[in-house]
Amino acid sequence: MNTNDPNYNVFDHMVQVCSGKWDVVASRYNLLADAAARYPRQTPCPISGEGKTKFRFQRGWEDSGLGYHNDRGALSILQVVSEIEGINKGEAAKRLIAMCGGSNVDFNPKQVKAIRNRTFKLDEKEAKKRCNSIQKVLKECTPASESDIVKMYFKTRTGLDYNVIPDSLLFHPELAYYEYDNQKKKPVFAGKHPALVCKFVDVDGQGITLHRIFLQVNADGSVSKLKQESKVEKGVFIDPKKVMSPARDMSRGNIRLFDKDGITEAPMGGFVGSFTEGVETGMAVLNATGISTMACYSDTILANQDVDRMVEKNLKFVVIWGDKDAGFAGQDKAFKLARKFRRKGVEAQVVLPSLPITGKGVDWEDELKAFGPDHLLDMMTRSVTYDEAKAEHEKFVEAGGVS
């Protein structure tokens, strides 16, 4: 292959060679092969093997090599192979090229461009279909601020009443849940359930999709995420959190958790913003601090925020409320976002919970439940450095924690 070409890029070459052959790569790794066989059903994480409903391939994955991880967002086969093999992405791309028989295939930039346009552009008919589905759900929703079920859901999680429930959060009294049966090749109705519905938007506030959190009212009056056994696979529980198929790219969007007065003004001029991974964490931060908060759904989307456009909108100071994850992903992505803002001249600080890492990790909702809202206000002034966060995580791993 002509790697001496000045325009040569190993990742573009990988796209050229592997497009249409990603199933060949998947067949070489047990958990990816399982995900391919069960597509579009969810499977365990293809890297760690943890969880039963963590990962699924996206439509057209044989061409794109893309999947979706419930904790990490968009996840490519390239990334999976890189982490499984313990090598960087460049080395992984070379390995994938060889795996798909492309070592002697000359690099062709025009072919790469054609493949990217074919693979990643959502056709107009499909985009319209997705928009119609989203609009149908929206029309059936009411403001979450008027729902006792939503209020009890947040109270059940932290033991506190939340004064602010933003307009971006809606409530659906009986939203239909469907599972896909890979054997029968059709969706299976899994009942109607109350749901917290969150508007996922771009930096200009334009809608992209809806994030749904299915709920259940328990015998004691508390409200929790739906826990229901799958009708398709015995012994497996369905995932209570589901994002509707987006009408366009959602990788840089967020859920805007603003109070009725909108974005928070900064004393020095411009605006202040907070960023969190999850909606529940974002609600904890908003209600404890009063600062406009953007919940990003996953750590991958957190790190991928549209910093340039936010700077154009005069965002001057940001607080990034990172999760303390056992695998360090939450911490790492929080610092990545902070670095992006700092390069643009925006003051950005990362704060992490004071609670020690346990289990899969801790977040700010755990912190709020443990210490109350005043504590979160105090923690805003206690920013941490990457080295400090890394050192704490290394101690956790050395003490027997799982990385």
Side-chain angles (χ1 to χ4, degrees):
M1 53 185 172
N2 54 339
T3 56
N4 293 324
D5 185 328
N7 296 314
Y8 181 80
N9 180 290
V10 69
F11 300 109
D12 285 345
H13 196 198
M14 178 197 70
V15 169
Q16 177 188 339
V17 171
C18 297
S19 179
K21 298 180 181 179
W22 284 109
D23 55 331
V24 174
V25 177
S27 69
R28 305 288 185 92
Y29 297 88
N30 290 339
L31 293 177
L32 285 176
D34 183 44
R38 297 172 63 191
Y39 168 80
R41 294 279 297 157
Q42 293 182 326
T43 61
C45 171
I47 299 166
S48 67
E50 296 177 351
K52 293 184 178 180
T53 55
K54 287 291 184 184
F55 176 82
R56 64 186 180 278
F57 278 121
Q58 294 184 350
R59 181 184 299 178
W61 69 272
E62 297 94 335
D63 287 327
S64 68
L66 292 177
Y68 193 86
H69 194 290
N70 288 344
D71 296 334
R72 300 178 56 169
L75 186 64
S76 67
I77 290 179
L78 171 65
Q79 181 69 39
V80 172
V81 172
S82 171
E83 294 191 34
I84 288 176
E85 300 289 358
I87 54 180
N88 64 45
K89 288 183 182 179
E91 291 302 315
K94 293 177 185 177
R95 188 170 297 189
L96 295 175
I97 290 169
M99 200 178 292
C100 291
S103 297
N104 297 316
V105 176
D106 283 342
F107 176 58
N108 186 334
K110 290 183 178 179
Q111 187 178 358
V112 173
K113 184 176 181 180
I115 290 170
R116 288 193 186 281
N117 288 338
R118 181 187 75 230
T119 302
F120 301 112
K121 187 176 180 181
L122 191 64
D123 67 78
E124 188 175 339
K125 184 178 179 180
E126 178 63 22
K128 186 175 181 179
K129 179 181 176 182
R130 294 183 181 188
C131 280
N132 289 340
S133 296
I134 291 168
Q135 288 298 323
K136 182 178 184 298
V137 172
L138 280 173
K139 289 177 182 178
E140 297 169 349
C141 290
T142 57
S145 58
E146 299 175 4
S147 168
D148 290 337
I149 290 178
V150 170
K151 292 176 183 176
M152 182 53 69
Y153 172 60
F154 289 125
K155 185 170 184 177
T156 298
R157 294 180 69 93
T158 63
L160 301 172
D161 291 310
Y162 284 173
N163 297 319
V164 180
I165 299 181
D167 294 341
S168 58
L169 301 186
L170 306 171
F171 174 69
H172 196 296
E174 46 180 18
L175 189 56
Y177 191 111
Y178 287 91
E179 296 183 83
Y180 192 85
D181 189 325
N182 198 45
Q183 299 297 319
K184 297 179 180 179
K185 303 297 180 184
K186 66 178 184 179
V188 175
F189 179 63
K192 292 184 176 181
H193 309 278
L196 173 62
V197 178
C198 315
K199 295 179 183 178
F200 202 93
V201 301
D202 64 17
V203 72
D204 295 312
Q206 299 300 307
I208 298 174
T209 188
L210 297 175
H211 174 39
R212 301 158 296 173
I213 303 174
F214 288 85
L215 306 173
Q216 66 181 28
V217 180
N218 303 311
D220 62 0
S222 64
V223 176
S224 58
K225 286 184 290 187
L226 178 66
K227 188 170 185 180
Q228 177 175 294
E229 189 170 353
S230 167
K231 293 182 179 296
V232 174
E233 192 169 355
K234 190 174 181 180
V236 172
F237 285 90
I238 61 176
D239 185 357
K241 293 190 172 186
K242 297 188 74 176
V243 174
M244 295 188 72
S245 297
R248 52 199 178 89
D249 179 37
M250 66 174 284
S251 66
R252 306 180 83 182
N254 57 58
I255 299 163
R256 300 172 71 168
L257 303 176
F258 295 176
D259 65 20
K260 64 182 185 301
D261 296 322
I263 196 164
T264 310
E265 294 186 9
M268 71 292 288
F271 303 103
V272 176
S274 284
F275 292 85
T276 67
E277 285 186 35
V279 174
E280 294 88 351
T281 305
M283 282 293 291
V285 169
L286 173 65
N287 278 269
T289 69
I291 295 178
S292 303
T293 302
M294 285 150 274
C296 301
Y297 179 71
S298 72
D299 56 45
T300 299
I301 294 177
L302 174 72
N304 203 36
Q305 289 295 288
D306 194 346
V307 168
D308 289 338
R309 288 286 288 118
M310 291 178 185
V311 172
E312 288 176 11
K313 289 178 172 290
N314 212 19
L315 188 60
K316 294 293 188 183
F317 179 81
V318 297
V319 182
I320 303 163
W321 302 76
D323 289 355
K324 272 188 185 176
D325 289 339
F328 201 68
Q331 300 93 313
D332 184 57
K333 297 299 174 61
F335 284 104
K336 282 185 178 178
L337 179 60
R339 287 193 291 271
K340 287 169 65 175
F341 273 115
R342 289 167 186 159
R343 291 189 194 109
K344 297 295 179 179
V346 175
E347 187 175 349
Q349 64 182 41
V350 174
V351 293
L352 298 173
S354 62
L355 290 168
I357 304 171
T358 55
K360 294 182 179 180
V362 294
D363 61 26
W364 288 98
E365 197 179 30
D366 298 320
E367 193 88 348
L368 178 64
K369 188 174 182 179
F371 303 114
D374 289 344
H375 174 75
L376 265 65
L377 278 169
D378 180 55
M379 290 297 291
M380 280 184 64
T381 65
R382 303 186 184 184
S383 61
V384 298
T385 66
Y386 180 87
D387 289 342
E388 289 170 339
K390 191 66 177 175
E392 181 188 9
H393 180 259
E394 288 174 353
K395 286 182 180 179
F396 163 73
V397 174
E398 289 171 1
V402 179
S403 175

